[in-house]
Amino acid sequence: MTQTLEIGNSVQPLTNVATMAALVTELQNRTFGMPGLGVFYGYPGYGKTFGAIFCASAFDVIHISMQGDWTKKTFLERLLNELGVAPKRVVPDMVLQACEELALDGRTLIVDEADYAFRRGVIELIRDLHDGSDTPVVMIGMEEFPQMLRKYELIDSRVMSWVAAQPATLKDAGLLASVYAEGVDVSEDLLDAILDRNTGNVRRMVTDLAQVKGEANKLGQTSMTLQDWGGIEFRRKDAPSPRRGLK
């Protein structure tokens, strides 16, 4: 089944959106008694959060994106607010509260930026919430996330499925072009060049595609090929070196 992602007013079936949706479906349909943790991991810019946002809408999941300074209490307050419940004052009571409400609510929990969960004991809290509610939980992290998680045997053993986000495909590039270079027919050879130079990184590709649209508009063209692009430099390059002699 092809899944889609809404970007602005467009709906696009990006590869990692479908992958994320399949993981959520697998966890929700697991056999009784099986663990319900899932891990979706990969390099920055591959579109993992796109997948989470889609699932939050399509499957009515709870999507929480962590930040670096969050404590257990911060996480629980955000979760209970998502569940529509006023948090109690102390963490142990909030944990019991969250487990009860997750069990009653029935929605899958997606924890984005889960690499931050290794700080301040939040990773153990996620295990407690899973065990106490039997709620499916998807943790989204960086490429190294699975190896980091293996240091926590009680959590690692509860992971039912590890799913790797993949680099964007040429098809993905064309779908992104229909949004970020809307109104411009971007040729396959130019799409392939953008895909190659960004090694399949969706976040970086959209910047290049927006520039293609801008250059096509300047030239008064409704299409752009690699030959048309010629020697134009992409704005997004490697980070510049420090400038000398300005002090």
Side-chain angles (χ1 to χ4, degrees), residues 57-72:
S57 173
F59 296 102
D60 191 28
V61 304
I62 301 169
H63 177 210
I64 294 180
S65 185
M66 290 194 63
Q67 296 180 16
D69 59 349
W70 279 21
T71 63
K72 288 182 180 180

Side-chain angles (χ1 to χ4, degrees), residues 28-41:
Q28 291 177 339
N29 295 334
R30 74 193 190 282
T31 303
F32 177 78
M34 291 187 66
L37 290 181
V39 173
F40 190 46
Y41 66 97

Side-chain angles (χ1 to χ4, degrees), residues 141-194:
M142 299 285 282
E143 184 71 14
E144 300 80 12
F145 186 86
Q147 296 307 313
M148 296 169 68
L149 195 61
R150 288 199 183 280
K151 299 175 184 178
Y152 298 81
E153 172 60 27
L154 290 176
I155 306 169
D156 177 74
S157 63
R158 287 165 168 78
V159 176
M160 175 181 168
S161 189
W162 308 87
V163 178
Q166 301 299 322
T169 64
L170 186 61
K171 179 183 177 183
D172 290 334
L175 293 168
L176 290 167
S178 70
V179 176
Y180 294 97
E182 185 179 5
V184 178
D185 181 13
V186 184
S187 68
E188 186 170 306
D189 59 355
L190 181 52
L191 287 175
D192 196 48
I194 291 172

Side-chain angles (χ1 to χ4, degrees), residues 2 8 14-15 26 36 47 79 91 104 119-120 127 135 147 173 183 200 223:
T2 298
L14 300 176
T15 298
E26 180 185 15
L79 174 59
V91 167
L104 290 171
R119 305 177 185 180
R120 306 188 184 188
R127 183 199 70 191
T135 294
Q147 296 307 313
S223 64

